[in-house]
Amino acid sequence: MPPRTVPSNDSSLATVALDDHHGPPGRGPSPLEMADDSESTIQSPTRGFEYPGDDGRYEEPHRSAGFWDSSMNKIRREVIIGWARTLLSMMVLVLAVLSLYWAALSHVEQNVSSLKVHVVDFDGQVAPYDAVTPFVGPAVTAAVRQMVDSPQHTIGYTIVPPSTYDFDPIAVREAVYDWHVWAAVIVNANATALLQEAVAVGNASYDPTGAIQFIIQTARQDTTFSAYIVPQLQALATQFAASFGPMWAQTVAANDSLSRDVLARAPAAVNPGVTPLTIDLRPFGPAAATPSVTIGLIYLIIVAFFSFTFFLPIHMKFVIPIGHPPLRFWQFIAWRLAATIATYFFVSLTYSFVSLAFQIPFSTPPASHVEPAVNATAYGRGSFVVYWMVNFVGMNALGIACENVAMIIGQPWTAAWLIFWVITNVSTSFYAIELAPGFFRWGYAWPLHHIVQVSRQILFDLHSEIGLNLGVLFAWAAVNVALFPLCCYFMRWKQEREKRAAEKNAESYTVYDARAEGEKKHVPKEKGMLPPIRKRGFMRGV
């Protein structure tokens, strides 16, 4: 008896072989016969459901096979080779990209001398103290020379004459603030005179910290100061105390004109005599500001990167004509670019709100460049708006670059690009480039380096290079925007190329029928030939 077809839910055909005992064609099977037929279908493979193949013939359902089955030889070899190639690519990526981060810190000890520290001895050099024979200043410079001549690596101590700063100690502080040097050691002009006077008259109010000053600015780069500069200055203070203390004690003991009663009234002048005072022009704080100038900016890159994958499926609805004609592609590009910039505008505001929510000061007015100031900001109450705009421009510099590269290289290599982009930016932003090998000088052009610099300048009222910083960020954004349309066209060309290659071995290809409101239409073609290139714009009529 000929087979009878039964339609299924997915419109495919199922065939059931009927036995003679099912009765004549005009009579349907009884429930008992259906139950018996169902059981026999399970037991006999000749009565199983069969599905039509690509050529219209009926085929058995797919059956699974073991990993070492002979039918799996080809695909097993293909999968293993693909896995090995991908693994090798990942190993090369990890070795190449992560090595950049390690390499940035590989020569710190050798390059620590690039952190310039000026030692300026004003002792006895300025009237009315120029008639005094100094010994505090020479003791400081002698201690510096001992540290420089030691086999250990030291920061870049440089002894400069007072004339370099026009005999003005305040000018030295200004040099530290303006980033001409990382730190400075100042020996005041009256260091020796005040110490001698204190022991001569028994000055009980003598302050031993008024002779020598260490001028630093930790907010410029807190990790560099805490790890290298401050410890070296402390070592200098120890070296100075070890040499100056015994010398001064011998001088006092050898002076018979000094009575014990007078010396007893000025104990600080006898011991320690002189103690360096550290003045931090812009201390780093509060602790909640750390993410705003370091790790938090990594999340800024990541959020900018993932906006591409979040929003692209939404944007693509414009060019997939399902129930509507496709949007002109140049307008689609303009929409995507405008939507991306608007996204960065609001996301950067949200990112900036996080810093504001954790009470990072944004309203403290700016302070004097030569006096210590805690939580001073560069623009007072306008600092938050400037900080937000910097993050906005920075997201455009970082994020649109990610979008362009993602459209060019595609998946799965966009993840590799994100790793490269994060590592190269972090390596040249969170640490002083002066401490890195010379290879990393390209970091001065990388966007995150300038975002970090201008963020520190806003939050801590540091020396301003905001013109240079924003100029570099705007240059990155402008180049990214100029390349954006080209990358969009490249992505479309690559997708259509892949689609044509996939349709090569088919007997038809699909196009969207504009007259049918974007419904798909199958157009026959010869198997093994590429489908024609889809015409666009005014070429659709050709």
Side-chain angles (χ1 to χ4, degrees):
M1 182 175 233
R4 183 174 62 188
T5 59
V6 181
S8 62
N9 292 334
D10 58 354
S11 300
S12 62
L13 298 179
T15 303
V16 180
L18 301 178
D19 293 335
D20 291 339
H21 66 272
H22 285 171
R27 180 178 65 86
S30 66
L32 181 61
E33 290 173 339
M34 290 177 65
D36 179 69
D37 180 53
S38 175
E39 181 180 357
S40 63
T41 300
I42 296 174
Q43 294 176 353
S44 174
T46 60
R47 295 187 178 186
F49 284 98
E50 297 176 345
Y51 302 92
D54 294 337
D55 56 359
R57 297 180 300 176
Y58 292 102
E59 299 175 349
E60 291 188 46
H62 292 295
R63 298 178 179 178
S64 59
F67 185 81
W68 300 108
D69 191 278
S70 59
S71 61
M72 302 290 290
N73 288 344
K74 181 178 180 181
I75 190 62
R76 184 173 61 244
R77 185 184 308 107
E78 180 180 341
V79 169
I80 292 176
I81 293 175
W83 169 80
R85 287 176 177 173
T86 305
L87 175 61
L88 180 61
S89 300
M90 290 184 63
M91 293 171 63
V92 172
L93 173 70
V94 170
L95 183 62
V97 177
L98 294 187
S99 294
L100 291 173
Y101 186 77
W102 267 256
L105 301 175
S106 61
H107 289 74
V108 168
E109 290 76 12
Q110 292 84 347
N111 295 339
V112 73
S113 60
S114 63
L115 303 176
K116 297 300 181 183
V117 177
H118 280 186
V119 180
V120 189
D121 178 15
F122 293 96
D123 191 14
Q125 304 292 319
V126 180
Y129 308 104
D130 50 353
V132 178
T133 302
F135 56 82
V136 175
V140 172
T141 55
V144 169
R145 291 190 179 95
Q146 288 179 7
M147 292 193 64
V148 172
D149 294 339
S150 67
Q152 297 180 349
H153 297 287
T154 61
I155 54 180
Y157 289 113
T158 304
I159 300 174
V160 298
S163 57
T164 303
Y165 292 99
D166 198 23
F167 298 96
D168 185 6
I170 299 301
V172 182
R173 294 192 184 191
E174 191 74 36
V176 175
Y177 180 85
D178 289 338
W179 296 0
H180 298 313
V181 291
W182 281 85
V185 178
I186 300 175
V187 183
N188 288 325
N190 57 359
T192 299
L194 289 183
L195 180 59
Q196 290 178 336
E197 181 185 3
V199 296
V201 300
N203 184 5
S205 63
Y206 172 77
D207 184 6
T209 62
I212 304 172
Q213 296 174 350
F214 293 163
I215 310 300
I216 61 175
Q217 188 177 212
T218 54
R220 176 181 176 181
Q221 181 55 262
D222 51 301
T223 55
T224 301
F225 275 93
S226 61
Y228 309 110
I229 297 178
V230 172
Q232 292 261 349
L233 291 176
Q234 292 173 345
L236 174 61
T238 302
Q239 180 73 26
F240 169 76
S243 60
F244 179 79
M247 180 192 68
W248 175 238
Q250 292 176 3
T251 301
V252 172
N255 192 344
D256 297 332
S257 63
L258 300 176
S259 66
R260 292 182 180 272
D261 293 338
V262 173
L263 294 178
R265 291 198 300 267
V270 178
N271 186 23
V274 174
T275 299
L277 173 66
T278 299
I279 298 177
D280 193 348
L281 298 178
R282 294 295 184 271
F284 183 88
T290 302
S292 301
V293 294
T294 53
I295 302 299
L297 292 170
I298 297 179
Y299 305 137
L300 197 69
I301 301 176
I302 294 175
V303 170
F305 172 83
F306 280 107
S307 67
F308 172 78
T309 55
F310 287 159
F311 292 105
L312 185 61
I314 300 175
H315 299 323
M316 292 301 293
K317 293 182 179 180
F318 274 127
V319 294
I320 300 178
I322 300 179
H324 62 85
L327 182 67
R328 292 185 176 91
F329 198 70
W330 71 267
Q331 292 181 342
F332 170 71
I333 295 174
W335 158 256
R336 270 197 61 196
L337 184 59
T340 298
I341 294 175
T343 298
Y344 294 160
F345 183 81
F346 290 105
V347 172
S348 62
L349 175 61
T350 306
Y351 172 84
S352 303
F353 274 147
V354 175
S355 298
L356 186 65
F358 284 90
Q359 299 182 357
I360 296 176
F362 279 104
S363 59
T364 310
S368 170
H369 296 175
V370 296
E371 295 295 336
V374 179
N375 295 334
T377 60
Y379 306 103
R381 296 186 180 276
S383 296
F384 178 78
V385 177
V386 180
Y387 177 71
W388 169 28
M389 289 297 101
V390 168
N391 290 327
F392 168 59
V393 178
M395 285 196 73
N396 281 275
L398 295 165
I400 301 180
C402 292
E403 297 229 0
N404 290 342
V405 174
M407 287 188 287
I408 292 175
I409 63 178
Q411 297 290 349
W413 302 110
T414 51
W417 158 258
L418 177 61
I419 296 174
F420 167 81
W421 197 227
V422 169
I423 292 297
T424 54
N425 276 281
V426 167
S427 301
T428 55
S429 303
F430 295 171
Y431 309 99
I433 298 181
E434 292 89 337
L435 298 178
F439 166 78
F440 287 90
R441 292 299 182 265
W442 50 263
Y444 288 113
W446 243 229
L448 192 63
H449 174 80
H450 294 274
I451 297 175
V452 170
Q453 272 202 334
V454 72
S455 297
R456 287 180 179 272
Q457 183 257 324
I458 295 170
L459 296 178
F460 307 119
D461 187 29
L462 299 181
H463 170 66
S464 177
E465 292 183 345
I466 192 170
L468 172 64
N469 302 140
L470 290 180
V472 173
L473 295 178
F474 273 116
W476 272 94
V479 172
N480 291 336
V481 170
L483 294 177
F484 188 82
L486 302 178
C487 295
C488 288
Y489 278 105
F490 179 84
M491 182 179 70
R492 186 181 70 173
W493 170 82
K494 185 175 66 172
Q495 289 177 341
E496 293 187 351
R497 183 170 175 266
E498 294 172 352
K499 183 178 180 181
R500 292 181 68 222
E503 294 173 337
K504 179 178 180 180
N505 294 324
E507 295 181 347
S508 64
Y509 62 95
T510 59
V511 295
Y512 289 103
D513 191 351
R515 291 173 296 182
E517 295 296 330
E519 295 294 331
K520 286 186 177 181
K521 180 173 65 175
H522 294 273
V523 180
K525 73 171 186 67
E526 184 177 346
K527 192 173 183 179
M529 294 186 62
L530 287 172
I533 299 176
R534 277 73 164 175
K535 300 296 188 297
R536 299 192 175 278
F538 67 91
M539 292 296 291
R540 283 198 180 98
V542 178

